[in-house]
Amino acid sequence: MPQKIPIVESILSANDRLAEENRARIEAAGVFAINIMASPGAGKTSLIEQTVLALHGKLRIGMINGDIATSLDADRAAAAGATALQVNTGGECHLDAVMLRDALARLDLGAIDLLIVENVGNLVCPAGFALGTHRNVLVASIPEGDDKPYKYPGMYRGVQAVVINKIDLLPYADFRMDIFKKGIEALNPGVVQFPLSCRSGEGLEAWLDWLAGQVNTATSKDGMEVNK
Ligand code: MG
Ligand code: ZN
């Protein structure tokens, strides 16, 4: 149905324009922002929880959670010490730049250094909607299987970091790490990867170091380098 293509394109370009406005607003406040995407149950909220706990006292963290119906995830982030805000998407299976704009209006950006956006659990359309964040992070997990980069290439192509969660389950799963990594490498050569377990804590340090480094570089006196 070729006649539908221009409509989709104009929706996406309107979203991109709004995403740029969001980015400008975030940067004007000296905040660094990441967008965390994953399938449901991969461990986005657990990763955010562990991150907030570990960086407590070093970085002031705000969290925006996109959830179809509940505020359970935002509650967990708030309990860990983040300034957390819930966006009920009303059934939408992804966040878009409009939803983030409305959420930003309700958040005190001056009170945070790092903004973590937890997208709706979905490996398809979140990749198509820019929000205005600085980095896209994908959380994969061992129980999902090693074929996910092959089945959801769009998601793997558009991210700047891949967290591989639940490595404590490797002994119990038929997960071929070499096949999985080969798939990632084909789609997104050189993308930084963090195998870890939010449950055991193994591997978390490398993720935390990378994230803190990204924030510090971006918000240093030289200004928001990520903007260029
Ligand atoms: Mg969650
Ligand atoms: Zn969607």
Side-chain angles (χ1 to χ4, degrees), residues 40-41 43-46 48 63 65-67 72-74 76 118-119 121:
K44 294 182 299 299
T45 311
S46 297
I48 292 168
M63 184 262 208
N65 172 256
D67 198 287
L72 295 171
D73 293 352
R76 280 172 65 188
E118 178 179 350
N119 217 308

Side-chain angles (χ1 to χ4, degrees), residues 55-158:
L55 297 179
H56 185 76
K58 295 176 192 152
L59 290 174
R60 299 169 301 164
I61 300 179
M63 184 262 208
I64 292 173
N65 172 256
D67 198 287
I68 290 175
T70 74
S71 68
L72 295 171
D73 293 352
D75 294 345
R76 280 172 65 188
T83 304
L85 191 67
Q86 175 65 34
V87 180
N88 282 330
T89 63
E92 279 289 340
C93 48
H94 59 268
L95 287 176
D96 62 24
V98 177
M99 292 182 221
L100 190 69
R101 180 193 63 189
D102 294 347
L104 290 174
R106 293 159 52 204
L107 197 66
D108 181 6
L109 286 174
I112 63 174
D113 308 301
L114 167 64
L115 174 63
I116 301 177
V117 179
E118 178 179 350
N119 217 308
V120 181
N122 177 346
L123 281 182
V124 185
C125 41
F129 290 84
L131 301 179
T133 50
H134 297 102
R135 298 284 186 275
N136 289 321
V137 177
L138 173 62
V139 182
S141 69
I142 301 306
E144 291 170 65
D146 50 31
D147 59 353
K148 289 301 166 289
Y150 305 91
K151 288 192 169 177
Y152 300 98
M155 185 62 77
Y156 280 82
R157 271 194 202 102

Side-chain angles (χ1 to χ4, degrees), residues 3 18 31 63-64 82 96 110 116 148 175-176 185 191 205 209 211 221:
Q3 69 271 29
L18 263 181
V31 173
M63 184 262 208
I64 292 173
D96 62 24
I116 301 177
K148 289 301 166 289
F175 188 97
R176 296 158 300 177
E185 197 56 32
V191 68
E205 210 56 44
D209 285 350
L211 182 59
K221 283 197 266 329

